[in-house]
Amino acid sequence: MSCFALFAQAAPISPIPANYPEAGFLFFKGVPVPKAANLTSAGLSEIEQVLRSSYSISFGDLHLADLEPVMINSCQMAAKIYNDRVDKMRLAYSAGVKNAKAQVVEVSVAGLCGIAVIAILASLF
């Protein structure tokens, strides 16, 4: 439980920052930020309360170096699994953002080409 408490304290609250609108605009779709890896401060405080009441763990005196080598290894493995999961979600989110930006560029270029064709046709008549 000490290992889990240390992991919960070290995990970032929102590991994937939004860099594209989540809501759609005009006829472009938005890209929602993955929320599966997000922790909340309320959730973390709830974990701390349960661990304190059930296992009598004091968080002020808890340090990774105080754990046994097996527990340190477990904590490192948990952090690696979590970070790998967040990286996969971050890559999927980045791919979605890249596709959405490409859609915006394609539609913008098509619109500008349409305006240019109309202007050229208007100047001929």
Side-chain angles (χ1 to χ4, degrees):
M1 288 297 122
S2 299
C3 177
F4 179 70
L6 285 170
F7 172 75
Q9 287 177 343
I13 300 291
S14 298
I16 303 175
N19 60 6
Y20 195 79
E22 291 190 58
F25 53 100
L26 296 176
F27 52 88
F28 302 111
K29 64 176 186 174
V31 180
V33 178
K35 306 276 191 242
N38 288 359
L39 301 172
T40 62
S41 56
L44 288 176
S45 64
E46 185 177 326
I47 289 171
E48 287 178 8
Q49 288 175 357
V50 168
L51 290 176
R52 282 184 185 152
S53 64
S54 301
Y55 299 98
S56 68
I57 295 174
S58 67
F59 289 94
D61 301 333
L62 194 59
H63 300 288
L64 190 60
D66 297 336
L67 298 177
E68 298 175 15
V70 175
M71 293 298 142
I72 293 173
N73 188 28
S74 298
C75 193
Q76 289 172 344
M77 286 175 46
K80 182 176 178 3
I81 291 169
Y82 176 78
N83 289 333
D84 288 346
R85 181 178 176 201
V86 168
D87 284 341
K88 286 180 185 177
M89 282 190 262
R90 187 177 293 122
L91 289 174
Y93 175 68
S94 296
V97 168
K98 184 177 178 182
N99 289 338
K101 286 181 178 179
Q103 178 191 17
V104 170
V105 169
E106 289 170 359
V107 170
S108 300
V109 168
L112 289 174
C113 288
I115 291 171
V117 167
I118 291 172
I120 291 171
L121 289 176
S123 68
L124 290 177
F125 295 115

